[in-house]
Amino acid sequence: MLAERGVLVSGNWKMNENHFEALKLVQELGALLLAGTLPPGREVSLHPPFTSLRTVQTAVESDHIPVALGAQNCHWEDRGAYTGEVSAEMLAKLNVRYVITGHSERRQYFGETDEVVARKIDAILRHGMVPIVCVGETLAEREAGDAETKVRGQVRAALEGRPTEVVASVVLAYEPIWAIGTGRTATPADAQEMCAAIRSEVGHFAPSATAAIRVQYGGSVTPETAEELLAGEDIDGFLVGGASLDAQRLVSIVRARA
Ligand code: PEP
């Protein structure tokens, strides 16, 4: 990573932790984070399920825990007849700063297309929050040599045509689908290569945004793999699933040396 961009480590709790468990986890995390310092330029975001957002927000604000509040998804409209959905406007009111969008689990299980993801990005930006836009290839696409084409296409669909300063403010998360929740991390070289390709793709439509845009890696990141991955100059942090449910493991990843 480049020092100026800083490192963002985001904990995606997925559909885990009811609000009692979420409170316990954020308090444990807070105690560990507050007991030491974060490396300069390091930022942490926590993405609990919607039902725990208010609980986590209250704990973070009252205990001054150095984490930003995050969400895992949102709807593209601000309000209306969309039973079961939560809008970006509602998230912004809870002081949510980062919203994950286009996660492969949403693309795979809920049919989210690039077009839907782009509309969600519009909504997140409209309400002053930062989208964490997930992109990544399947194992079949990687084995067929199509990984970079797929990922570059997802990046363009999400960001092309937006003002440069907006592109620069977004976070992209490269998450090879075959590495998510499988215990199989991409090699540092493969992760760096794709994150560099992502940055170069951004350069095709928003050249002045390439130095500033943050690109995370996600896919079975652990305290054991974090440091080596972070050595990649185009890797600016992590989107962490499984390991973010353990306060000690998440804090070890957060404190990984760059
Ligand atoms: C994720 O859900 O974005 C993720 C990377 O999960 P895991 O770390 O468990 O692979």
Side-chain angles (χ1 to χ4, degrees), residues 12 14 103 105 175 179-181 218-221 239-242:
N12 175 14
K14 309 195 186 191
H103 193 283
E105 287 154 12
E175 297 211 299
I180 297 178
S220 298
V221 175
L239 184 50
V240 185

Side-chain angles (χ1 to χ4, degrees), residues 11-172:
N12 175 14
W13 292 357
K14 309 195 186 191
M15 198 174 72
N16 294 296
E17 311 305 297
N18 63 41
H19 74 284
F20 296 110
E21 294 161 341
L23 180 60
K24 185 165 172 281
L25 183 52
V26 72
Q27 283 173 336
E28 275 171 25
L29 197 65
L32 291 169
L33 288 173
L34 291 166
T37 53
L38 289 181
R42 198 133 316 186
E43 219 188 323
V44 185
S45 65
L46 289 182
H47 302 251
F50 290 136
T51 49
S52 299
L53 271 176
R54 180 75 170 135
T55 304
V56 172
Q57 180 215 9
T58 307
V60 163
E61 290 177 3
S62 64
D63 295 353
H64 306 289
I65 300 171
V67 304
L69 195 59
Q72 301 174 20
N73 181 34
C74 68
H75 197 269
W76 59 84
E77 294 290 350
D78 289 348
R79 54 191 60 226
Y82 299 100
T83 303
E85 292 291 324
V86 170
S87 72
E89 184 188 40
M90 294 165 181
L91 297 176
K93 278 274 178 286
L94 282 168
N95 288 347
V96 165
R97 172 146 180 77
Y98 292 101
V99 185
I100 297 170
T101 186
H103 193 283
S104 61
E105 287 154 12
R106 299 228 41 104
R107 294 181 192 258
Q108 187 182 347
Y109 304 132
F110 304 98
E112 287 192 8
T113 59
D114 281 345
E115 193 192 22
V116 165
V117 172
R119 292 178 75 185
K120 291 185 176 194
I121 295 170
D122 293 342
I124 296 162
L125 293 168
R126 191 163 69 237
H127 291 286
M129 299 178 290
V130 179
I132 297 180
V133 185
C134 302
V135 296
E137 81 285 358
T138 62
L139 188 57
E141 287 161 341
R142 174 154 285 262
E143 285 173 350
D146 295 334
E148 203 175 303
T149 307
K150 161 87 175 293
V151 168
R152 283 179 180 266
Q154 288 178 321
V155 170
R156 275 199 312 278
L159 299 182
E160 197 170 17
R162 299 184 191 274
T164 297
E165 63 280 10
V166 169
V167 175
S169 72
V170 162
V171 178
L172 288 165

